[in-house]
Amino acid sequence: MGKTGMFAPRHNDKTWWQRLIGLNWFIVLLVCGLASVGVAMLYSVSGGTYEPYAAAHIQRFALSFAVMIVIATTDIRVWMSLSYPAWFFGLILLVVVEFIGHTGMGGQRWLDLGFMRLQPSELMKVAVVMAMARYFHGIDFNKVKSLKSLIIPVFLVALPILLVLRQPDLGTSLMILAGGIVVIFLAGVPRWLFIVGAVLALVATPIAWSALKDYQKSRVITFMNPESDPYGAGYQIIQSKIAIGSGGMSGKGFLQGTQSHLKFLPEMRTDFIFTAQVEEFGLVGGAVLLALYMLVFSYGVLIGVGCRNHYGRLLASGLGFTLFLYTLINVGMVMGLMPVVGVPLPLVSYGGSAMLTYMIAVGLILCVATNRHMTIAPKGASLFGFKR
Amino acid sequence: MAREGQRYQKYSRRAFLLAGLQGAFMAGLGARLYYLSVIQGKSYKLKADNNRISLRLIAPKRGEILDRYGKKVATNKQDFRVYLVPEQTQNVSRTLQKINRILPLSKNQISRIERTIKRQRNFVPVTIAKGLEWHDFARVNVEIPGLEGVFPDSGMTRDYPYSHLAAHIVGYVGSPRPEDIGKDPLYQLPGFKLGRDGIERRYEDSLRGRAGARRVEVNAVGREIRELDPRQDAEEGHPIQLTLDMELQQFVAEKLGEQAAGAVVMKAESGEILSMASTPSYDPNDFNSGISQENWNAILKDPRKPLLNKALAGKFPPGSTIKMLVALAALEKGLITEETTVRCTGKHTYGDRTYHCWEDKGHGRVNLLQSIAKSCDVYYYELAEKLDIDDLAVVCERFGLGTSYDIGLDGVSKGLVPTKAWKESALGVNWYQGETLNASIGQGAFTATPLELAVMTARLATGKAIFPKLIQDTIGADHLSGTATLDANPLHLELMRNGMHDVMKSGGTAHDFRNPRDTQKIAGKTGTSQVRTISKAERKDGVVKNEDLAWKSRDHALFVGYAPFDNPEYIVSVLVQHGGGGGSVAAPIGREILYKLTETGNFTPEEVAKRLAREKEEGLDG
C-alpha cells in the first residue's frame, strides 16, 4: 500500500529506557485506577481493614505491574516467537493441574506455587490468543479462506478447552473459546463459516447440556428464575441484585454497604465485588468502574487497528476482547443477566491469577502499541534469533 | 503488499464491528445497572432493609393483681440467670469448669449445656443456670472478669406471694400452647407466659401490656450487630385490683383448714367479695415453669378436688339454709302468718310416705320464728303441702339462686332451682307434691353454690338486689348492687331476720357450739344437706352418726349469716363438703369470721396490727 506517516517504517532499535518512556501511560494509569478501586473495595468488604485482603491485593498488583512493564518493554518479536511455547507451557500446566491441582469451589483448578495459587486456565486465556495470532500472522491471507487452514486453530482452541472443562470450569472454557473465535474472525475467515458454526452450536446445545455438571445445570436453571430457589443457588443472585439496587444513584457511602458487611452475600470479595462497589458508590460508582474497563479494552481494539504487523493486530484486539469478556461476564452475572459462572472482575476481585493474566494481557497490548510501526515477516523470527 | 492491504482492510472492518458489539454490550450493562439502582432502587432498598433490620420484641411487665388494700396477690419477681456465649470463650469446657467452682452444676446440667452448644450457632447464648438466688448470682457477678463469654442477666417471672390462698381466684400462668403460637408474636419470646386460669386468664388482655420492640441490625446468619433507633419501650400491663382482703382470706382459709370446703365473705351493701376461699388449694407458683408430674397426679387424685373452686363452682343441696325463702313464699301466698304454728313429732306423713325431721324426738309446737331458729323440718313439710313449687322458684330466683354471676372469673356455676317446667323438660315426668316437701328443706334436685347462698343472704339482710363483685372499678361489668329494692314485703323480711337472729341465740341450731366471745350481733342459718337416703330400717336402729360414715357419705355442712344484726355489713356463707352438721361444723366457722369482722372491721394492715397487739396483751391466742 506504500503508506507513509503512521505506517512509515522506523528504526526498531530503541533502548529499554526509550521503550519505557514511550509506553502508553494512559493505559497504565487506567489499570492503576482499577486496582485502586479493588484495594478500596477489599478494604471495605473486609470491614475496614487492610489485612489480609487489601494488603495482599496491593502486593499482587505490584508484582503483576512489574510483569506488565517487563512484557510491555520487551521486543514484540520475543513474544511472537514465544507464542507457541507459551501455549505448550499452558497446556502442560493444565495437565499437571489434573493430577496435583488443588481442589476448591467444586473444581480442581489451582497449582500451589507457595507465594500464590496459580490457575493455569487463566493464563491459557492469553496463551491461546497469542498462539492463534502467531498462526494467522504466519499463513498467507488467501489460505485463510480455506477450511484446511482452520485445522490448527481448532486444535489450538479445543485442546485447552477440553482440559479446562474437565476441571470443571465452564466460564473459563467459554472465555477461551470466545477469544479463539474472535481471533479467527479478525483473521478474515469467511462469514459463512461463522453462520454454519452458530447453527452447529445450536444443534450441539442439548449435547453440551448433558455434559454439564449438576451444579452448572442448576446455575443455568436458577439464572432463568432465581426466585425458584431463593435459599439455594438463587440466593446469591437475589442478594446481589438487592445490594446493587439498594445503592441507588449515589450509593450508601464508603464502608456503609449493609449487604456486604452483614454477609448477606457470600463471596463478596471475589466474584461479587462489583456488587459491593455499586452498593457503596451507587450507579455513579458502577458506571465509572465500567467506563474504566471500557477504556482499557477499547484501547486494545484501537491499538490493534493502528498496528502494522498482523501478529500485533490480532494479539491486541484478541486480548482486548478477552478483557472485555471478563467485564461482560462478571458484571452481567452479578446483575442477573447471565448465569453465575465464576468469572472474577480483574484487578478488583480478590484473586491473583486473574490479576496476573489481566496484567500480562495489558502488558502485551502495551507492547503492541510500542511496536506498532514494526513490520514482521510471515515466518517471524525464531527465538532471540531475529535481526536487529 | 496488496494482500497485506486486503488483510488489513478485512481486519479493521471486523475489528470495528467487534468494537461496536462491545460498545452495545457495555451499553446493555449500563442500562441494566440504571434499571436496578434507579428504577428499581426503592424496592431493592426496602428489601435490603428487610434483610438487615429485625424487630426484637421486648416483653412487657405483666400487670400485678392486688387485693383491696394494694397487697400483691400476683406480682413479678426478678429471676437471675447466667448465660454463656460459646464464641466469646476460647475454651468452653474450661469456662464451664470455672463456673462449676462458683456455681455447682450437676452432670446432667453440664451435658445439657454441652448439647445445646453443639446444636446452636455459637453466638447464641446458652443458659447456664436460671432461678438463681441473689447470693449465687452476686458470686457469679464478682467472678465475671475471669469468666470469658459468661454474662449475667435477669428477667421477670410471675410470683404468687400468697401461694395457696388465692389460687382459685388469681389462677396461674403457663407457656403458650402450640396451637396459640402464631396468634401473637410475643408468644415466641423464650419464657413468655400467659394466663391459664382465674383472673390471670380472664384479664389476660389488660394484664399482658404491650410488647416493646428494638430494631436491631442483623447479619445474614441472624447475629445482632447493633441496635437501631427508634426503640419502643414495652408498656406494662394494667394492674387488676380485687375486692379481696388477703388478711381475711388467710383467716378464712385457716378456719376451713384441710377440709373440702368453700366460703364466701361479702360486703352486704356493695356485694364486694372480701374473701372467697376454697380448700384444699394448690400453689400457682408450681405452674410457672411446668408442674411436676408427681405434684399434678397428687392434685388429680385428691378426692377433695383441689383444682375446683368450691365457693363458686361447687353445687350442693342448700339444705335448711333455704328455709327463709320457703317461708317467704308461703307468707307471700298467705299460706301462713307469723302466728302459724305446727306440732312437730319428728315425722310427717304425706301420701304413702313418711318425711322425717332432723330431730327424731320432734320439736313440739313451733311457730314461724322457732321453725327457723330450730330449723324444724316438719313445719316446712306442712307448709309445702300447700305450696306451689313454681311460687317457691320465683322467690328463690328473686333472691339470687339459680343465677350465674359474672364476677370476672370463668367457671361460675349456677345452682338448680327446681320448677315443674324444669322437671318435665329434664326428666320428662310431672312434678309431684311430695317433691315440694323435699325441696322445702333444700333437698332433692335443689342445688346452690356458696356464692349464690351469700347473695341470697345479702338480699335477705338488706332487702336490696345485691350483686357480687370481685374486681374493683370493674371494667364494663353491670354491677347493680344496692340500687334496686327487692320485691319483698319488708315486714316478712324483718321476720326472717329475727328468725335468723334466733338461730344464734339460746335454743337456736347454731347456739350449742357457741364460742364464749360470740356476741348477739350475728344472724344466721345452718344447713345440713343429706348425701344419702336413710332407709326405714336404719331409722329404726338409730341413724348412723356422720363420724362413723365413709367421708363420701357424710352430710354437707352449711352456714349462711350476716352481722351486725341491726345493720348488716358483712355476709358469710360456708360450705364444708361432707363435713357433718351445719350447726356443729359450718356455723362455728361462719360465726368466727363474722365475729372477727364486726370486732375488727376490715382486715386493714393497721387494724390487723392493732388486733394482734391487743390479743398479745390479753394473752389470747385465737
Side-chain angles (χ1 to χ4, degrees):
Chain A
M1 280 164 82
K3 288 213 174 163
T4 52
M6 193 176 171
F7 294 104
R10 274 197 199 170
H11 292 292
N12 294 316
D13 45 354
K14 288 178 186 170
T15 61
W16 185 82
W17 185 248
Q18 281 172 319
R19 290 169 190 275
L20 184 69
I21 299 292
L23 279 184
N24 187 330
W25 286 97
F26 187 66
I27 295 177
V28 176
L29 217 65
L30 282 177
V31 294
C32 288
L34 284 171
S36 309
V37 171
V39 172
M41 289 329 293
L42 286 172
Y43 177 81
S44 171
V45 163
S46 51
T49 55
Y50 278 103
E51 294 292 341
Y53 304 114
H57 198 70
I58 293 171
Q59 286 167 17
R60 287 171 181 179
F61 181 69
L63 184 80
S64 308
F65 189 84
V67 170
M68 176 190 79
I69 294 293
V70 168
I71 290 171
T73 51
T74 303
D75 193 300
I76 190 162
R77 285 166 295 186
V78 174
W79 304 123
M80 187 168 154
S81 57
L82 280 175
S83 292
Y84 288 140
W87 182 87
F88 267 113
F89 183 63
L91 201 70
I92 288 162
L93 286 185
L94 280 178
V95 174
V96 170
V97 99
E98 271 289 303
F99 296 107
I100 58 161
H102 279 261
T103 305
M105 309 288 296
Q108 195 171 10
R109 295 174 191 173
W110 290 282
L111 280 179
D112 203 334
L113 301 185
F115 64 96
M116 74 174 288
R117 273 145 68 101
L118 188 74
Q119 211 175 323
S121 58
E122 279 288 334
L123 295 176
M124 209 60 204
K125 288 173 190 167
V126 173
V128 165
V129 173
M130 282 173 84
M132 300 279 281
R134 171 76 186 82
Y135 173 78
F136 283 109
H137 175 88
I139 63 165
D140 192 276
F141 184 58
N142 285 331
K143 285 188 187 163
V144 173
K145 289 174 180 158
S146 75
L147 273 175
K148 228 165 72 184
S149 70
L150 282 178
I151 294 171
I152 289 170
V154 166
F155 180 73
L156 288 176
V157 176
L159 216 58
I161 287 180
L162 286 175
L163 284 167
V164 174
L165 271 178
R166 273 183 62 85
Q167 289 183 352
D169 186 345
L170 186 63
T172 305
S173 319
L174 289 174
M175 278 185 74
I176 293 171
L177 180 67
I181 289 172
V182 160
V183 179
I184 293 172
F185 177 71
L186 292 172
V189 170
R191 213 168 289 156
W192 64 265
L193 257 171
F194 291 94
I195 297 164
V196 169
V199 172
L200 278 176
L202 220 65
V203 173
T205 304
I207 301 160
W209 177 256
S210 62
L212 291 182
K213 298 270 174 186
D214 278 348
Y215 83 96
Q216 289 168 329
K217 283 184 189 172
S218 87
R219 275 176 180 182
V220 176
I221 292 166
T222 310
F223 159 68
M224 302 298 180
N225 182 16
E227 277 74 17
S228 69
D229 186 11
Y231 297 107
Y235 177 80
Q236 276 187 321
I237 202 65
I238 291 171
Q239 295 299 334
S240 175
K241 279 158 75 180
I242 289 174
I244 290 173
S246 63
M249 181 63 89
S250 54
K252 295 172 184 169
F254 186 51
L255 301 178
Q256 304 294 312
T258 55
Q259 284 285 104
S260 45
H261 291 274
L262 300 173
K263 301 188 174 61
F264 285 102
L265 194 50
E267 299 302 315
M268 198 66 140
R269 65 185 147 78
T270 55
D271 293 354
F272 283 86
I273 194 115
F274 182 76
T275 304
Q277 160 80 6
V278 180
E279 188 182 16
E280 298 194 348
F281 296 102
L283 173 71
V284 175
V288 166
L289 190 60
L290 288 182
L292 289 179
Y293 278 111
M294 197 163 161
L295 282 172
V296 173
F297 63 69
S298 300
Y299 259 102
V301 178
L302 224 60
I303 286 167
V305 171
C307 181
R308 287 197 67 172
N309 53 74
H310 202 51
Y311 175 73
R313 283 174 205 149
L314 292 176
L315 187 66
S317 36
L319 290 176
F321 187 78
T322 302
L323 302 186
F324 158 75
L325 279 181
Y326 272 113
T327 314
L328 178 74
I329 295 177
N330 179 274
V331 176
M333 164 181 104
V334 301
M335 293 198 297
L337 289 173
M338 274 176 203
V340 176
V341 285
V343 169
L345 191 61
L347 304 185
V348 179
S349 283
Y350 185 76
S353 299
M355 179 188 271
L356 184 63
T357 308
Y358 203 82
M359 293 298 273
I360 289 172
V362 173
L364 286 170
I365 291 171
L366 286 171
C367 183
V368 172
T370 305
N371 297 290
R372 64 186 178 275
H373 302 302
M374 186 189 283
T375 50
I376 305 170
K379 289 287 170 197
S382 59
L383 184 57
F384 302 121
F386 55 84
K387 285 178 278 176
R388 295 207 69 141
Chain B
M1 217 48 215
R3 248 183 268 139
E4 171 56 23
Q6 235 181 342
R7 186 160 80 165
Y8 177 72
Q9 246 179 7
K10 190 147 230 170
Y11 162 81
S12 57
R13 249 190 283 128
R14 288 190 172 184
F16 281 119
L17 184 74
L18 207 64
L21 208 70
Q22 290 177 359
F25 270 113
M26 290 307 284
L29 289 185
R32 175 68 171 178
L33 186 59
Y34 180 79
Y35 170 79
L36 287 180
S37 56
V38 176
I39 296 176
Q40 297 272 293
K42 271 215 178 87
S43 107
Y44 280 121
K45 204 162 273 173
L46 206 70
K47 283 181 183 165
D49 282 346
N50 284 345
N51 261 347
R52 77 186 172 96
I53 297 171
S54 163
L55 275 187
R56 299 278 154 105
L57 289 181
I58 307 169
K61 201 169 156 192
R62 198 170 171 84
E64 292 183 318
I65 302 175
L66 309 166
D67 88 341
R68 66 189 294 118
Y69 300 115
K71 286 191 185 149
K72 288 163 184 179
V73 185
T75 181
N76 305 298
K77 191 171 67 174
Q78 283 273 328
D79 176 28
F80 298 108
R81 305 155 191 169
V82 175
Y83 295 99
L84 172 72
V85 182
E87 70 166 6
Q88 287 171 11
T89 178
Q90 302 267 323
N91 186 334
V92 170
S93 59
R94 205 179 55 210
T95 307
L96 280 177
Q97 272 170 23
K98 278 191 198 166
I99 297 173
N100 200 14
R101 249 172 270 148
I102 306 160
L103 202 76
L105 299 169
S106 70
K107 255 197 180 136
N108 269 344
Q109 279 171 303
I110 290 175
S111 71
R112 175 192 60 83
I113 291 164
E114 279 168 350
R115 254 181 293 127
T116 315
I117 289 172
K118 268 185 211 143
R119 208 179 47 232
Q120 292 180 345
R121 286 178 180 277
N122 66 346
F123 60 85
V124 178
V126 180
T127 312
I128 301 291
K130 57 181 179 182
L132 288 178
E133 293 296 321
W134 168 247
H135 166 77
D136 289 323
F137 186 67
R139 280 215 334 243
V140 176
N141 268 303
V142 169
E143 302 281 346
I144 279 298
L147 295 168
E148 282 179 324
V150 176
F151 73 92
D153 192 22
S154 67
M156 290 288 177
T157 51
R158 200 63 162 166
D159 182 45
Y160 302 97
Y162 286 98
S163 178
H164 293 68
L165 278 180
H168 295 108
I169 298 166
V170 292
Y172 50 87
V173 295
S175 302
R177 300 201 169 97
E179 63 264 29
D180 296 329
I181 307 275
K183 281 184 192 160
D184 187 327
L186 260 179
Y187 291 176
Q188 279 158 23
L189 276 183
F192 181 80
K193 299 277 155 56
L194 76 163
R196 279 259 164 267
D197 199 14
I199 298 288
E200 293 275 31
R201 181 169 75 188
R202 186 70 176 270
Y203 289 91
E204 173 65 24
D205 291 343
S206 337
L207 287 168
R208 184 184 300 172
R210 284 242 310 275
R214 295 184 302 135
R215 287 171 73 236
V216 295
E217 187 175 85
V218 294
N219 71 4
V221 286
R223 184 205 307 261
E224 232 175 273
I225 305 298
R226 66 195 167 109
E227 192 170 323
L228 306 164
D229 291 329
R231 176 197 177 113
Q232 195 192 351
D233 285 321
E235 217 172 275
E236 194 175 328
H238 283 288
I240 300 287
Q241 188 159 28
L242 305 175
T243 60
L244 289 186
D245 174 348
M246 286 311 292
E247 286 284 344
L248 176 65
Q249 177 83 354
Q250 175 145 24
F251 181 82
V252 173
E254 273 167 21
K255 291 293 154 202
L256 296 179
E258 281 305 297
Q259 306 174 91
V264 175
V265 183
M266 239 166 60
K267 279 211 151 185
E269 294 280 343
S270 63
E272 288 168 309
I273 296 169
L274 295 174
S275 165
M276 181 160 65
S278 177
T279 54
S281 184
Y282 58 89
D283 185 352
N285 291 307
D286 290 347
F287 286 81
N288 252 348
S289 47
I291 191 164
S292 72
Q293 194 62 41
E294 206 179 329
N295 204 343
W296 180 241
N297 283 342
I299 286 174
L300 286 185
K301 263 192 241 153
D302 193 328
R304 299 169 301 169
K305 298 200 169 104
L307 289 175
L308 184 76
N309 185 348
K310 291 165 194 81
L312 50 76
K315 293 186 284 185
F316 305 94
S320 305
T321 57
I322 211 72
K323 280 179 179 161
M324 286 79 75
L325 302 188
V326 184
L328 280 175
L331 282 167
E332 217 166 83
K333 283 280 148 190
L335 302 177
I336 53 166
T337 65
E338 189 186 342
E339 280 78 36
T340 307
T341 58
V342 164
R343 218 182 77 83
C344 170
T345 56
K347 54 187 168 196
H348 176 80
T349 315
Y350 178 74
D352 53 358
R353 277 195 63 178
T354 305
Y355 296 83
H356 294 270
C357 184
W358 67 271
E359 183 66 86
D360 287 341
K361 302 182 293 247
H363 289 98
R365 189 152 291 278
V366 285
N367 63 18
L368 179 56
L369 278 184
Q370 287 166 324
S371 79
I372 294 170
K374 297 177 189 294
S375 200
C376 175
D377 293 335
V378 172
Y379 192 94
Y380 290 88
Y381 296 144
E382 286 272 351
L383 178 161
E385 277 185 28
K386 289 163 268 174
L387 186 66
D388 188 341
I389 187 67
D390 287 348
D391 289 333
L392 174 60
V394 167
V395 174
C396 286
E397 268 154 32
R398 196 188 300 153
F399 279 82
L401 300 186
T403 312
S404 172
Y405 296 99
D406 181 13
I407 56 168
L409 287 177
D410 295 332
V412 178
S413 298
K414 68 176 184 187
L416 177 70
V417 176
T419 59
K420 289 174 190 160
W422 162 77
K423 195 182 176 192
E424 268 164 38
S425 72
L427 305 174
V429 278
N430 286 336
W431 185 266
Y432 62 95
Q433 197 60 24
E435 287 175 286
T436 311
L437 272 64
N438 248 337
S440 72
I441 59 160
Q443 295 286 153
F446 221 131
T447 60
T449 66
L451 180 65
E452 284 173 328
L453 292 179
V455 171
M456 174 192 83
T457 312
R459 292 182 180 188
L460 277 169
T462 61
K464 289 173 188 162
I466 306 298
F467 283 87
K469 175 178 168 178
L470 182 64
I471 316 288
Q472 298 271 34
D473 4 281
T474 304
I475 310 143
D478 53 334
H479 288 284
L480 314 160
S481 280
T483 52
T485 305
L486 277 183
D487 177 20
N489 187 330
L491 291 174
H492 293 170
L493 281 177
E494 191 60 36
L495 209 53
M496 292 305 109
R497 291 178 199 138
N498 286 332
M500 289 169 80
H501 197 197
D502 290 346
V503 170
M504 314 306 293
K505 289 181 183 166
S506 175
T509 50
H511 175 74
D512 294 350
F513 305 94
R514 200 170 71 133
N515 194 302
R517 290 185 311 202
D518 267 5
T519 65
Q520 295 302 308
K521 282 179 151 180
I522 298 168
K525 179 76 194 81
T526 61
T528 305
S529 71
Q530 237 169 257
V531 172
R532 66 202 179 102
T533 315
I534 300 169
S535 66
K536 263 184 191 163
E538 197 186 328
R539 286 211 186 267
K540 232 178 195 171
D541 304 341
V543 178
V544 184
K545 281 195 171 148
N546 260 307
E547 300 85 84
D548 302 331
L549 284 169
W551 182 73
K552 279 270 184 196
S553 310
R554 292 181 199 167
D555 298 337
H556 299 310
L558 293 132
F559 176 79
V560 297
Y562 65 90
F565 165 65
D566 45 5
N567 179 28
E569 263 188 80
Y570 303 106
I571 309 294
V572 158
S573 97
V574 177
L575 162 99
V576 182
Q577 211 180 338
H578 307 297
S584 57
V585 177
I589 297 169
R591 225 170 28 195
E592 194 98 349
I593 294 164
L594 288 173
Y595 167 74
K596 281 273 183 195
L597 281 165
T598 47
E599 281 296 287
T600 61
N602 286 2
F603 281 59
T604 61
E606 302 80 47
E607 282 159 347
V608 169
K610 245 189 279 173
R611 169 170 60 86
L612 290 173
R614 195 178 59 230
E615 283 178 3
K616 207 174 168 188
E617 225 168 81
E618 290 170 5
L620 292 172
D621 51 355

